Amino acid sequence: MISVRALVAGVWLILPTFNEADNIESLVRAVVPRLERTGLPHTVLIVDDSSPDGTGEIADRLADELPCVRVLHRARKQGLGRAYLAGFEMALEATADLVMEMDSDFSHDPADVPRLIAAAGAADLVLGSRYVTGGGVENWGLVRRMLSRGGCAYARLLLGIPVRDLTGGFKCFNRRVLEAIDLADVHADGYAFQIELTYRAVRAGFQVAEVPILFRERREGASKMSARVALEAVWKVPALRLRG
Ligand SMILES: Nc1nc2c(ncn2[C@@H]2O[C@H](COP(=O)(O)OP(=O)(O)OP(=O)(O)O)[C@@H](O)[C@H]2O)c(=O)[nH]1
Ligand SMILES: [Mg+2]
């Protein structure tokens, strides 16, 4: 395996937030030491869509205190996909080598961040995966588990790609993947956004690796997932395949 240290000038971890006032500070404080221990230059970019609960102010305070933390404030809630695209643009402009996605609700374990970064030494796109050996979900009822598994199987079969966890949002992109994808042409949100980026990476010939993770229920606050976002994935998947 190539040493990731040799490849990397900088890791940007993007944390999208909408009403994560009860999570964001503890999450940043948990994740920064993990990034420090990798020995790589790193930036944590919080992308906040003017959360009414004050998440943006907490983020600004963290940025004042911690030199590696930056905040991108957006005027209104535009969905997870738009928030990530804005974050990607900023990270690429800043010449990040690795760009990471992670939920800001502790569903993704900060302790897993170094494992994803390490795996990026041998892959173009690393997915934190619930559905490979060693991965899983905690505290989900049968219905939620079946919906998630079924959704991944549906996307995998329709798209004809061997990826096990297509809907997860814990990822590490090498910048060349994001540069190769026409990001201006990505309009999906939520699950469909995650599926679309991974599908486009595979189609462009990039190497995708899945690293097992244990996904937990969000620690604090409420889910922003909606039926609209879930249904978007149902019709977007065949549309993606048809578009080729
Ligand atoms: N900036 C921004 N962040 C968002 C938006 N919608 C969701 N997020 C963030 O995206 C992450 C994932 O959203 P969640 O609501 O946890 O959705 P989920 O993880 O699919 O659903 P749960 O399992 O119910 O938590 C969280 O950090 C949210 O705060 C948005 O419109 N703008
Ligand atoms: Mg969540």
Side-chain angles (χ1 to χ4, degrees), residues 2 28 33 47 50 71 75 79 92 111 121-122 151 165 171-172 175 182 191-192 195 199 205 210-211:
I2 320 157
V28 167
V47 184
S50 299
V71 190
L92 293 176
D165 191 344
K171 301 183 170 185
C172 182
R175 71 172 289 123
D182 181 8
Y191 299 123
I195 296 168
Y199 179 59
E210 290 187 85
V211 164

Side-chain angles (χ1 to χ4, degrees), residues 20 103-108 144 215-218 222-225:
E20 300 293 359
D103 286 359
S104 309
D105 58 2
F106 281 98
S107 284
H108 300 142
R144 182 101 195 254
F215 182 96
R216 295 197 181 85
E217 205 43 82
R218 63 162 47 246
S223 174
K224 284 97 218 172
M225 195 42 69

